[in-house]
Amino acid sequence: MLHVTTGQTLLDAQVAARLRRAGLDVLDDPGAKAMYAADASLYRIPPLAVLRPRHADEAALALAVARAEGVPVTARGGGTSIAGNAVGRGLVLDFSRHMNRVLDVDPEARTAVVQPGTVHAVLQRTAQPHGVRFGPDPSSHSRCTIGGMIGNNACGNRALGYGRTSDNVVAMTHLLASGEVLQTSYDATGAPVVEGPQRLVADLQALMRGHLATARTEFDRFGRQVSGYAVQHLLPERFDLNQALVGSEGTLGIVTEATVRLVTDPAHRLLVAIGFDDIVAAGDAAPLVKGFSPTACEGLDRRLVDVLRSRRGDAVIPPLPAGRAWLFVEIAGDDVGEVHERAAALAAAGLGEEALVVTDPALAGRMWRIREDGAGLAGQAPSGRPAWPGWEDAAVPPERLGPYLARFDELVAEFGLTSAPYGHFADGCMHVRLDYPLDRPDGLAVMRRFLHAAAELVGSFGGSLSGEHGDGRARGELLGAMYSPDALRLFGGIKAAFDPDNLLNPGVLVDPEPVDADVRMAGVAPYRRDLAFAYAEDDGDLARAVHRCTGVAKCRADNSAAGGVMCPSYLATREEKDSTRGRARVLQDVVRGALDWRDEAVGDALDLCLSCKGCGSDCPTGIDMATYKSEALYQRYRGRFRPRSHYTLGWLPRWSRLAGLMPRLANLAVRLPLLGRLALRVAGVDHRRSVPAFARRSFRRWWARQAGTGRPGARPVMLFVDSFSDAFSPQVAEATVRLLREAGFAPRLPDSHLCCGLTWITTGQLDAARRILGRTVAELAEAVRAGVPVVGIEPSCTAVLRSDAVELLHGTEHADDAALVAGATRTVAEILATAPEWSPPDLSGVTVVAQPHCHHHAVLGWKADAAVLGRTSATVTTLSGCCGLAGNFGVELGHYEVSVKVAEQQLLPALDAAPDAVVLADGFSCRTQVADLRDRPAVHLAELLAGSPER
């Protein structure tokens, strides 16, 4: 076995080297193989290598090498396939890296020419100025690619209005396994045109003559019958190779270019939300909604909403009509009066318990966001256990959806599983994930039995195993439950005509691999040994924590445009390894034993993680890569020498206290040209960074000279003064004191110099961080027990008290103290919200550009800050996305360029657009980034509200 494995490894290396010699962009390191071994499905299949073609000729060259070496080829776009269509053992062609451009938009013809790696949202942004858009819009629209949509015949929420992808593709260019080029399109009369090997057309026509009865009776029975090949388009009376290739999952050809149809966006949209007693009632009503000509009709269950509530709290749940299941129906059109009339008629139709016409676009957006995040939210089952794909988009004729949903729930219960269904109910399509017991020895057997039973159930309803995601590896074996043996033979004949050597995506659709083969979680034991963090929400299991990543790839989207942070490093580099998903896949290989903590692949994947915690709030599955990175650094360097920046930047609070004894000397040392540059290099700091000056008088020295504690009757609060506010920005802490006193509070300081240990946490020095935090929460807890809340100044340090401390101190003698302090810790804005007699200053006429700190966004929440700013009457532009400095990240050697690129996403354009605005940034690192890159001052919220000391 060892000899065979070694021989295969050598062969793989030879193929990769041949591709590299040809000048192709090839990845075959262990990290890349880990990242591309999975998509958004259950499956893990490490590839031989990953090729990222720059143009179609490179894709053809790669295919030629693969053909010569007998290596299979799998095409991949955004890697969001839930059925396992985008993983394979051979060469994976990632079209999203280079071949991702919109080549042309023709607003008159209403078409666009795109490369296969073009992200759906990019096409929409490019087409929008012309008043047109691509009709199909899957919930993964912010990161899925048009090539992937073609492969799966994706539909999306608005398929009622715009149809499937196959209805919106007017021309394609494919590379065949033989190396030949196949072009499909339509002539001026709408007749299909095929340019390429005519023997293929002849072979297909001959094949179809032997299966006409099957093709005419078993296919095209309802709109969401997606499983298998679309053989109805190969019938002699409608031979249309263009439509037949859509949905073939990369098994027949590799699309290198497509022309898609565009539509005009309706001028007006309204959401009608209808509540039902249960999901079966919602399913029964969905076909009736079609009578109101909606563009979308989506169903979801209370179980999904409860998962969101448990993860993020009640505040994120928008007001919903009474019920335990809902239909979200979009009514759209160009006549605003007609749209309102139609929406009102639907709401009055009495289809459910209660109906709500949503006229507020912001509220409608919050509701649709629940549906869009469904695949990620459903990653946690109602049982609290991880939920897995594999049976996620079956469809039945819409008029039979209600009974199917009822029987499906019974089947789930029979197997002891739980689920949270949702989906395109008016089309009869239901999405679901299930908590298969994959951590049990019989877990795979349970999953296999369930999938076969579910397939038989959907077949009995005349349904389709897949309604839009394709069959992939998840359902290929089950096709016999809905198709006859003759239909399966027909599939085999089609595959043989296109790809006789089974080169393209083998194991999918034809001669499928077993549904329980290569399951990613199978055989992965719990990982609980010697961990620093508690991972309490994952039962102390790091394996379960990192497998939260389902691969839906929201981290690859421009989430900052939608008010999010995740994932700043991916936005800067556009590399899979710098996405939250890419990092999670590498860590999944660590916990399964395929990689070691000290492997280069692990360090490389985590190097550009800014520890922003954006994924903790923005990823629908609740991944917390900042914590995992700290754990990884802890495991990697435990008992070993560390990078020098860990001893300098990681111990910064300790050094700042020493420098504070002689601040002028310390400032002089770093500003002398030669000595300063040497000091920066020794410290592991990029020389292009300025070193913030130590304050001549620390906050604590200022505090020691203060008299009084505030007005009589003032409420005491414990002010947590972090090392940055004490040593570098004492004016911020002083303003906080003045503001709190004005608001009727009496700020106090702990007796000791307390530290949250943040810099030790981010550098993975977690034993030290635990000791530091233990002392801190022990002292703060005394105040909390006396009824005194804790008020933080620096968002990242406040977030440690609110979150990280609980995880680090779980199971220690200070666990109760940490939980107590976390529950009593407030931001400045949050504590002000409890002072009803205080009023903020009138800032009418003042323009403010606000840069929330990432930890503020992800852990603490910005809602209270937004509310208090709103009361000032200032004109406020609140940015999303990371500033790019992120504590020690942007200061360290090797990170400067990425730090600047992150700032260029949101921060720098906003600063340049408003040169006279007040810059609001509570985070010390955010203020430092603004000063470094634009030489502008920035203020803390306390400074903005407290004004000058003379106020």
Side-chain angles (χ1 to χ4, degrees), residues 81-282:
S81 164
I82 305 177
N85 329 60
V87 292
R89 290 181 175 78
L91 188 63
V92 170
L93 303 188
D94 177 6
F95 287 99
S96 69
R97 184 68 178 98
H98 302 299
M99 292 182 65
N100 54 18
R101 293 180 296 124
V102 178
L103 301 177
D104 180 64
V105 173
D106 186 339
E108 292 186 5
R110 292 188 182 177
T111 59
V113 182
V114 299
Q115 294 178 311
T118 302
V119 172
H120 180 283
V122 172
L123 172 58
Q124 302 295 51
R125 285 198 298 269
T126 306
Q128 188 176 25
H130 302 284
V132 289
R133 67 189 292 274
F134 187 50
D137 59 345
S139 58
S140 57
H141 58 85
S142 60
R143 62 271 189 194
C144 72
T145 65
I146 303 301
M149 292 180 67
I150 290 171
N152 295 348
N153 199 8
C155 302
N157 298 345
R158 294 183 173 88
L160 285 176
Y162 305 119
R164 303 173 297 183
T165 299
S166 57
D167 301 314
N168 294 275
V169 175
V170 296
M172 289 188 291
T173 300
H174 276 85
L175 275 174
L176 300 182
S178 62
E180 297 168 293
V181 175
L182 175 69
Q183 293 178 309
T184 57
S185 61
Y186 302 92
D187 64 19
T189 68
V193 175
V194 177
E195 298 180 54
Q198 292 304 304
R199 54 95 190 149
L200 174 62
V201 173
D203 289 348
L204 290 171
Q205 291 173 335
L207 173 68
M208 290 301 297
R209 285 194 289 271
H211 301 273
L212 291 177
T214 296
R216 287 179 174 137
T217 58
E218 295 190 34
F219 294 87
D220 206 19
R221 290 176 288 106
F222 69 105
R224 287 297 183 111
Q225 184 178 351
V226 170
S227 283
Y229 292 130
V231 300
Q232 68 270 18
H233 296 299
L234 298 179
L235 285 166
E237 62 267 25
R238 59 192 291 193
F239 191 87
D240 185 344
L241 205 51
N242 192 71
Q243 288 230 2
L245 280 166
V246 177
S248 57
E249 304 185 34
T251 62
L252 304 182
I254 297 174
V255 62
T256 58
E257 187 175 292
T259 302
V260 297
R261 181 177 292 109
L262 303 177
V263 298
T264 56
D265 232 356
H268 307 281
R269 298 181 188 274
L270 281 179
L271 170 63
V272 181
I274 311 172
F276 296 86
D277 186 56
D278 58 31
I279 196 169
V280 175

Side-chain angles (χ1 to χ4, degrees), residues 619-635:
C619 174
T621 68
I623 281 285
D624 183 0
M625 193 54 63
T627 294
Y628 308 159
K629 179 179 180 179
S630 293
E631 183 75 64
L633 291 171
Y634 174 71
Q635 300 291 343

Side-chain angles (χ1 to χ4, degrees), residues 264-347:
T264 56
D265 232 356
H268 307 281
R269 298 181 188 274
L270 281 179
L271 170 63
V272 181
I274 311 172
F276 296 86
D277 186 56
D278 58 31
I279 196 169
V280 175
D284 285 335
L288 304 176
V289 171
K290 287 185 176 181
F292 297 86
S293 302
T295 51
C297 176
E298 299 295 294
L300 66 155
D301 189 80
R302 186 180 188 89
R303 287 167 281 182
L304 187 71
V305 175
D306 286 344
V307 169
L308 176 60
R309 180 179 285 110
S310 68
R311 186 172 297 163
R312 299 181 188 168
D314 290 336
V316 302
I317 306 296
L320 296 171
R324 291 180 293 176
W326 297 271
L327 290 180
F328 289 174
V329 184
E330 182 181 84
I331 303 295
D334 293 326
D335 184 328
V336 62
E338 188 274 336
V339 168
H340 278 266
E341 287 178 8
R342 201 156 23 109
L346 173 58

Side-chain angles (χ1 to χ4, degrees), residues 126 134 149 245 307 357 364 366 387 390 426 444 538 555 616 648 668 684 853:
T126 306
F134 187 50
M149 292 180 67
L245 280 166
V307 169
V357 178
R366 291 176 63 196
L444 281 180
D538 295 291
C555 51
T648 53
L668 177 63
H853 189 284

